[in-house]
Amino acid sequence: MKRKTGAVLITCVLMLCAAGTALLIGGGKKPYRNLDASQIRSATVRLTPPDETIQIAEIKELVEYLQDVVIYQEDNSYTGYNGQGVTFTLTMSDGTQTQIMAFNPFLVMDGIGYRTKYEPCEALSSYANRLLSEENADIK
């Protein structure tokens, strides 16, 4: 009887380990979770279409959106998709630049595409379009 209980217990532990490993492998990553607004000297966003670039004044708000982004496996098939891409160019405090394009269901970081979680990527696109609307309202 004790032997059966031990075997069942070992089987359960192995199944839990396998499930945990599967979750870690299949789970996404948050590449910007530790990003801080103080690390960014300046930021712009280019919306294509309509091919307009906007200087971002509130970097902290942008960082909050970037911290929520979740990426999965690398996937460069975004080149076969049509739609609006919003490309954020970040100039870091050390002088380096990075480009992040939200192109749902992809996030392209410095030319490398990744599948992404829909909602955070859509929030980045909506944020960029809101900035464009505000910019155009200020011009009028």
Side-chain angles (χ1 to χ4, degrees):
M1 188 65 155
K2 288 183 182 183
R3 190 173 221 187
K4 246 185 186 178
T5 305
V8 169
L9 183 61
I10 289 173
T11 302
C12 289
V13 169
L14 289 174
M15 289 175 63
L16 284 172
C17 288
T21 302
L23 285 174
L24 287 175
I25 291 171
K29 297 177 188 172
K30 288 187 166 188
Y32 300 106
R33 82 171 159 259
N34 295 323
L35 183 65
D36 188 78
S38 65
Q39 296 172 293
I40 302 172
R41 186 179 335 151
S42 67
T44 60
V45 61
R46 179 160 187 79
L47 294 91
T48 309
D51 293 327
E52 290 193 39
T53 302
I54 301 164
Q55 185 71 37
I56 299 174
E58 273 300 317
I59 292 175
K60 186 176 180 182
E61 186 177 5
L62 170 61
V63 168
E64 289 171 0
Y65 285 109
L66 289 172
Q67 288 172 338
D68 290 338
V69 168
V70 177
I71 60 171
Y72 301 107
Q73 74 274 8
E74 188 174 323
D75 185 343
N76 286 317
S77 66
Y78 69 90
T79 57
Y81 280 68
N82 291 322
Q84 182 188 49
V86 295
T87 304
F88 296 91
T89 301
L90 309 180
T91 302
M92 308 308 279
S93 56
D94 65 1
T96 59
Q97 281 193 338
T98 188
Q99 287 193 331
I100 305 157
M101 181 173 66
F103 190 59
N104 233 347
F106 302 97
L107 189 80
V108 182
M109 299 182 304
D110 293 325
I112 301 171
Y114 298 89
R115 286 284 175 165
T116 187
K117 187 173 183 180
Y118 181 84
E119 292 82 5
C121 191
E122 183 61 29
L124 264 177
S125 293
S126 295
Y127 167 67
N129 280 288
R130 181 170 43 88
L131 291 175
L132 177 64
S133 295
E134 291 170 2
E135 178 89 3
N136 289 338
D138 289 343
I139 293 172
K140 292 180 181 177

